Amino acid sequence: MTLAFDDVGKGRPVVLLHGFPLSRQMWRPQQDALSGHCRLITPDLPGFGDSPHPVTSIEAMADAVADLLVHLNLTEPVVLGGLSMGGYVCFAFVRKYADRLAGLILADTRAEADDETARANRDKMIGFASTNPPSAVIEQMLPKLLAPSAAPDVVEDVRRMGAAQRPATILAALQALRNRPDSTSTLEEVRVPTLVIVGKEDALTPPPLSERMAANIAMATLTVIDGAGHMPNLEQPQAFNQAVLDFVHGLGGSIV
Ligand code: MLT
Protein backbone atom coordinates (compact mmCIF):
# COMPACT_ATOMS: atom_id res chain seq x y z
CA MET A 1 0.00 0.00 0.00
CA THR A 2 1.54 3.32 -1.02
CA LEU A 3 0.11 6.62 0.08
CA ALA A 4 0.73 10.03 -1.44
CA PHE A 5 2.01 12.40 1.23
CA ASP A 6 3.71 15.72 1.97
CA ASP A 7 6.69 15.73 4.31
CA VAL A 8 7.91 19.16 5.41
CA GLY A 9 10.09 20.47 8.23
CA LYS A 10 12.49 18.82 10.64
CA GLY A 11 12.30 17.52 14.17
CA ARG A 12 9.65 15.56 15.98
CA PRO A 13 7.47 13.71 13.43
CA VAL A 14 3.82 14.81 13.48
CA VAL A 15 1.46 12.88 11.17
CA LEU A 16 -1.94 14.45 10.47
CA LEU A 17 -4.83 12.51 8.91
CA HIS A 18 -7.56 14.31 7.00
CA GLY A 19 -11.34 14.03 7.31
CA PHE A 20 -14.02 12.78 4.91
CA PRO A 21 -14.41 13.50 2.00
CA LEU A 22 -11.26 15.58 1.77
CA SER A 23 -7.54 15.08 1.25
CA ARG A 24 -4.15 16.08 2.64
CA GLN A 25 -4.72 19.49 1.05
CA MET A 26 -6.85 20.39 4.05
CA TRP A 27 -3.66 20.69 6.12
CA ARG A 28 -2.19 23.45 3.95
CA PRO A 29 -2.70 26.13 6.66
CA GLN A 30 -0.76 23.89 9.05
CA GLN A 31 2.21 23.28 6.75
CA ASP A 32 3.72 26.77 6.94
CA ALA A 33 2.94 27.31 10.61
CA LEU A 34 4.11 23.95 11.93
CA SER A 35 6.98 22.97 9.63
CA GLY A 36 9.38 25.40 11.38
CA HIS A 37 8.82 23.47 14.62
CA CYS A 38 8.41 19.81 13.70
CA ARG A 39 8.44 17.38 10.80
CA LEU A 40 4.91 17.44 9.44
CA ILE A 41 3.78 14.43 7.43
CA THR A 42 0.34 14.58 5.82
CA PRO A 43 -0.78 11.55 3.80
CA ASP A 44 -3.79 11.14 1.55
CA LEU A 45 -5.69 8.22 3.08
CA PRO A 46 -6.24 5.28 0.67
CA GLY A 47 -8.18 6.33 -2.43
CA PHE A 48 -8.32 10.03 -1.46
CA GLY A 49 -6.37 12.79 -3.20
CA ASP A 50 -3.40 11.25 -4.99
CA SER A 51 -3.46 7.91 -3.15
CA PRO A 52 -4.67 4.84 -5.06
CA HIS A 53 -6.71 1.89 -3.80
CA PRO A 54 -9.76 2.94 -1.77
CA VAL A 55 -10.45 0.71 1.24
CA THR A 56 -13.68 -0.17 3.00
CA SER A 57 -12.46 -0.24 6.59
CA ILE A 58 -10.96 2.26 9.01
CA GLU A 59 -8.53 -0.44 10.16
CA ALA A 60 -7.16 -0.77 6.61
CA MET A 61 -6.57 3.00 6.63
CA ALA A 62 -4.59 2.66 9.88
CA ASP A 63 -2.58 -0.20 8.36
CA ALA A 64 -1.73 2.02 5.38
CA VAL A 65 -0.51 4.77 7.74
CA ALA A 66 1.63 2.25 9.66
CA ASP A 67 3.11 1.06 6.33
CA LEU A 68 3.91 4.65 5.44
CA LEU A 69 5.90 5.07 8.68
CA VAL A 70 7.89 1.95 7.77
CA HIS A 71 8.40 3.27 4.24
CA LEU A 72 9.71 6.53 5.72
CA ASN A 73 12.05 4.62 8.04
CA LEU A 74 10.43 6.35 10.99
CA THR A 75 11.46 4.13 13.85
CA GLU A 76 10.95 6.75 16.59
CA PRO A 77 7.42 7.19 17.98
CA VAL A 78 5.35 9.86 16.22
CA VAL A 79 2.64 12.29 17.20
CA LEU A 80 -0.42 11.09 15.30
CA GLY A 81 -3.36 13.40 14.76
CA GLY A 82 -6.61 13.10 12.87
CA LEU A 83 -9.68 15.18 12.21
CA SER A 84 -13.03 13.39 12.31
CA MET A 85 -12.52 10.34 10.03
CA GLY A 86 -8.80 10.88 10.64
CA GLY A 87 -9.55 10.56 14.36
CA TYR A 88 -11.32 7.23 13.78
CA VAL A 89 -8.14 6.08 12.05
CA CYS A 90 -6.14 7.21 15.11
CA PHE A 91 -8.27 4.95 17.33
CA ALA A 92 -7.62 1.96 15.04
CA PHE A 93 -3.92 2.86 15.12
CA VAL A 94 -3.94 2.91 18.94
CA ARG A 95 -5.44 -0.60 18.94
CA LYS A 96 -2.76 -2.05 16.64
CA TYR A 97 0.33 0.14 16.80
CA ALA A 98 0.32 1.84 20.22
CA ASP A 99 4.09 1.45 20.56
CA ARG A 100 4.59 3.74 17.54
CA LEU A 101 2.99 6.70 19.33
CA ALA A 102 4.53 9.61 21.25
CA GLY A 103 1.33 11.64 21.36
CA LEU A 104 -2.17 11.86 19.95
CA ILE A 105 -4.22 14.75 18.55
CA LEU A 106 -7.95 14.09 18.22
CA ALA A 107 -9.71 16.90 16.38
CA ASP A 108 -13.48 17.11 15.90
CA THR A 109 -13.98 13.39 16.17
CA ARG A 110 -15.92 10.90 18.29
CA ALA A 111 -15.13 7.57 19.91
CA GLU A 112 -18.66 6.21 19.47
CA ALA A 113 -19.66 4.07 16.48
CA ASP A 114 -22.60 5.06 14.28
CA ASP A 115 -25.89 4.33 16.06
CA GLU A 116 -29.01 3.05 14.26
CA THR A 117 -30.04 6.51 13.08
CA ALA A 118 -26.55 7.39 11.88
CA ARG A 119 -26.32 4.08 10.01
CA ALA A 120 -29.65 4.71 8.32
CA ASN A 121 -28.40 8.16 7.28
CA ARG A 122 -25.16 6.60 6.09
CA ASP A 123 -27.18 4.17 3.94
CA LYS A 124 -29.09 7.09 2.44
CA MET A 125 -25.81 8.84 1.67
CA ILE A 126 -24.43 5.67 0.07
CA GLY A 127 -27.55 5.56 -2.15
CA PHE A 128 -27.12 9.24 -2.98
CA ALA A 129 -23.39 8.88 -3.73
CA SER A 130 -24.08 5.90 -6.01
CA THR A 131 -26.09 8.06 -8.36
CA ASN A 132 -24.63 11.54 -7.81
CA PRO A 133 -21.13 12.95 -8.27
CA PRO A 134 -18.78 13.82 -5.38
CA SER A 135 -19.58 17.50 -6.01
CA ALA A 136 -23.19 16.80 -4.97
CA VAL A 137 -22.05 14.83 -1.90
CA ILE A 138 -19.88 17.66 -0.61
CA GLU A 139 -22.66 20.15 -1.32
CA GLN A 140 -24.94 18.14 0.98
CA MET A 141 -22.31 18.02 3.70
CA LEU A 142 -21.08 21.63 3.57
CA PRO A 143 -23.68 23.19 5.88
CA LYS A 144 -22.66 20.81 8.65
CA LEU A 145 -18.91 20.90 8.04
CA LEU A 146 -18.41 24.62 8.58
CA ALA A 147 -19.71 27.22 11.02
CA PRO A 148 -22.24 29.65 9.48
CA SER A 149 -19.62 32.39 9.84
CA ALA A 150 -16.97 30.52 7.82
CA ALA A 151 -15.08 32.71 5.34
CA PRO A 152 -16.17 32.30 1.69
CA ASP A 153 -12.69 31.18 0.60
CA VAL A 154 -12.74 28.40 3.23
CA VAL A 155 -16.17 27.25 1.98
CA GLU A 156 -14.84 27.27 -1.58
CA ASP A 157 -11.72 25.34 -0.57
CA VAL A 158 -13.72 22.58 1.12
CA ARG A 159 -16.13 22.43 -1.83
CA ARG A 160 -13.23 22.09 -4.29
CA MET A 161 -11.47 19.40 -2.23
CA GLY A 162 -14.62 17.33 -1.81
CA ALA A 163 -15.61 17.59 -5.47
CA ALA A 164 -12.13 16.39 -6.52
CA GLN A 165 -12.46 12.96 -4.82
CA ARG A 166 -13.21 9.82 -6.83
CA PRO A 167 -16.73 8.35 -6.64
CA ALA A 168 -15.34 4.89 -5.78
CA THR A 169 -13.43 6.37 -2.83
CA ILE A 170 -16.51 8.14 -1.51
CA LEU A 171 -18.48 4.89 -1.59
CA ALA A 172 -15.71 2.79 -0.04
CA ALA A 173 -15.11 5.33 2.73
CA LEU A 174 -18.83 5.62 3.51
CA GLN A 175 -18.82 1.84 4.10
CA ALA A 176 -15.79 2.24 6.36
CA LEU A 177 -17.45 5.04 8.33
CA ARG A 178 -20.74 3.16 8.60
CA ASN A 179 -19.15 -0.05 9.87
CA ARG A 180 -16.41 1.36 12.08
CA PRO A 181 -16.23 -0.22 15.53
CA ASP A 182 -17.00 1.58 18.76
CA SER A 183 -13.79 3.04 20.17
CA THR A 184 -14.96 4.12 23.61
CA SER A 185 -12.97 1.35 25.32
CA THR A 186 -9.92 2.34 23.25
CA LEU A 187 -9.79 5.65 25.13
CA GLU A 188 -8.60 3.82 28.25
CA GLU A 189 -5.82 2.20 26.21
CA VAL A 190 -4.30 5.56 25.27
CA ARG A 191 -1.05 5.82 27.24
CA VAL A 192 0.41 8.94 25.59
CA PRO A 193 -0.27 12.66 26.07
CA THR A 194 -3.32 13.60 24.04
CA LEU A 195 -4.69 16.87 22.73
CA VAL A 196 -8.42 16.91 22.06
CA ILE A 197 -9.51 19.86 19.88
CA VAL A 198 -13.00 20.84 18.81
CA GLY A 199 -14.65 23.80 17.11
CA LYS A 200 -17.15 25.41 19.49
CA GLU A 201 -19.82 25.35 16.75
CA ASP A 202 -19.10 21.85 15.48
CA ALA A 203 -22.48 20.48 14.37
CA LEU A 204 -21.22 16.97 13.48
CA THR A 205 -19.14 16.17 16.56
CA PRO A 206 -20.28 18.78 19.11
CA PRO A 207 -18.04 19.82 22.04
CA PRO A 208 -19.73 17.59 24.69
CA LEU A 209 -18.42 14.54 22.79
CA SER A 210 -14.89 15.91 22.98
CA GLU A 211 -15.31 16.71 26.66
CA ARG A 212 -16.30 13.10 27.29
CA MET A 213 -13.45 11.81 25.16
CA ALA A 214 -10.87 13.93 27.00
CA ALA A 215 -12.29 12.88 30.38
CA ASN A 216 -11.78 9.23 29.50
CA ILE A 217 -8.17 9.51 28.31
CA ALA A 218 -5.60 9.46 31.13
CA MET A 219 -3.35 12.28 29.85
CA ALA A 220 -5.65 14.49 27.80
CA THR A 221 -6.19 18.23 27.52
CA LEU A 222 -9.12 19.80 25.71
CA THR A 223 -9.01 22.93 23.55
CA VAL A 224 -12.29 24.41 22.30
CA ILE A 225 -11.84 26.78 19.37
CA ASP A 226 -14.17 29.78 19.11
CA GLY A 227 -15.64 30.75 15.75
CA ALA A 228 -15.13 27.33 14.20
CA GLY A 229 -17.32 24.39 13.22
CA HIS A 230 -16.12 20.90 12.26
CA MET A 231 -12.94 22.12 10.54
CA PRO A 232 -11.13 24.44 12.98
CA ASN A 233 -7.80 23.88 11.21
CA LEU A 234 -9.25 25.71 8.19
CA GLU A 235 -11.73 28.03 9.91
CA GLN A 236 -9.42 29.30 12.68
CA PRO A 237 -5.96 28.13 11.60
CA GLN A 238 -4.04 30.38 14.00
CA ALA A 239 -5.83 29.10 17.09
CA PHE A 240 -5.60 25.51 15.84
CA ASN A 241 -1.89 25.80 15.01
CA GLN A 242 -1.14 27.39 18.38
CA ALA A 243 -2.87 24.56 20.22
CA VAL A 244 -0.89 21.97 18.26
CA LEU A 245 2.40 23.82 18.72
CA ASP A 246 1.88 24.20 22.48
CA PHE A 247 1.08 20.50 22.66
CA VAL A 248 4.08 19.38 20.60
CA HIS A 249 6.44 21.69 22.52
CA GLY A 250 4.98 20.40 25.78
CA LEU A 251 6.04 16.88 24.86
CA GLY A 252 9.62 18.13 25.26
CA GLY A 253 12.71 16.24 24.16
CA SER A 254 12.41 17.45 20.57
CA ILE A 255 14.36 15.07 18.35
CA VAL A 256 15.73 17.48 15.77
C1 MLT B 1 -15.48 13.66 8.63
O1 MLT B 1 -15.42 14.89 8.72
O2 MLT B 1 -14.47 12.97 8.46
C2 MLT B 1 -16.82 13.02 8.69
O3 MLT B 1 -17.75 13.94 9.19
C3 MLT B 1 -16.81 11.78 9.51
C4 MLT B 1 -18.16 11.13 9.63
O4 MLT B 1 -19.04 11.39 8.79
O5 MLT B 1 -18.36 10.33 10.55
Side-chain angles (χ1 to χ4, degrees):
M1 167 70 63
T2 23
L3 298 183
F5 60 95
D6 288 319
D7 184 356
V8 291
K10 283 193 168 57
R12 186 184 279 287
V14 177
V15 182
L16 296 182
L17 308 178
H18 61 81
F20 174 85
L22 305 174
S23 70
R24 72 189 199 272
Q25 290 184 15
M26 68 166 258
W27 300 116
R28 227 182 281 136
Q30 280 62 61
Q31 285 191 331
D32 285 346
L34 302 184
S35 60
H37 304 266
C38 60
R39 177 176 176 188
L40 183 65
I41 299 162
T42 49
D44 281 330
L45 290 167
F48 290 91
D50 299 318
S51 287
H53 311 310
V55 294
T56 52
S57 82
I58 296 292
E59 185 180 350
M61 295 184 198
D63 290 341
V65 173
D67 285 352
L68 175 65
L69 300 188
V70 172
H71 170 78
L72 289 171
N73 258 324
L74 271 175
T75 46
E76 70 269 37
V78 303
V79 175
L80 183 67
L83 186 137
S84 200
M85 177 179 76
Y88 308 156
V89 180
C90 288
F91 293 132
F93 198 95
V94 167
R95 288 192 282 274
K96 284 182 91 167
Y97 308 105
D99 57 332
R100 313 295 317 272
L101 292 173
L104 208 54
I105 301 170
L106 300 169
D108 301 80
T109 193
R110 67 168 81 218
E112 294 80 7
D114 277 7
D115 61 15
E116 285 299 306
T117 313
R119 281 192 181 184
N121 286 335
R122 218 54 106 171
D123 288 338
K124 274 193 212 149
M125 186 60 108
I126 290 170
F128 183 78
S130 318
T131 49
N132 291 277
S135 57
V137 172
I138 190 69
E139 215 54 51
Q140 278 217 346
M141 292 184 67
L142 262 175
K144 289 205 163 166
L145 284 176
L146 299 168
S149 59
D153 59 324
V154 171
V155 179
E156 209 35 59
D157 217 23
V158 172
R159 177 178 277 132
R160 184 188 50 74
M161 265 186 272
Q165 304 312 313
R166 287 179 282 277
T169 300
I170 302 275
L171 287 172
L174 282 169
Q175 292 286 350
L177 292 169
R178 181 195 188 282
N179 298 328
R180 74 185 190 280
D182 187 88
S183 294
T184 46
S185 62
T186 307
L187 302 179
E188 292 156 27
E189 291 174 36
V190 177
R191 296 274 175 269
V192 290
T194 300
L195 171 64
V196 180
I197 307 185
V198 67
K200 196 170 186 173
E201 297 167 52
D202 187 336
L204 286 174
T205 49
L209 290 177
S210 289
E211 283 162 24
R212 199 156 65 211
M213 217 160 43
N216 285 298
I217 296 176
M219 286 184 277
T221 53
L222 172 67
T223 298
V224 180
I225 300 200
D226 281 336
H230 191 58
M231 312 230 44
N233 70 302
L234 290 172
E235 299 175 80
Q236 298 295 341
Q238 281 190 346
F240 185 93
N241 294 340
Q242 196 56 53
V244 172
L245 281 178
D246 289 349
F247 175 69
V248 171
H249 284 147
L251 293 173
S254 171
I255 40 173
V256 182

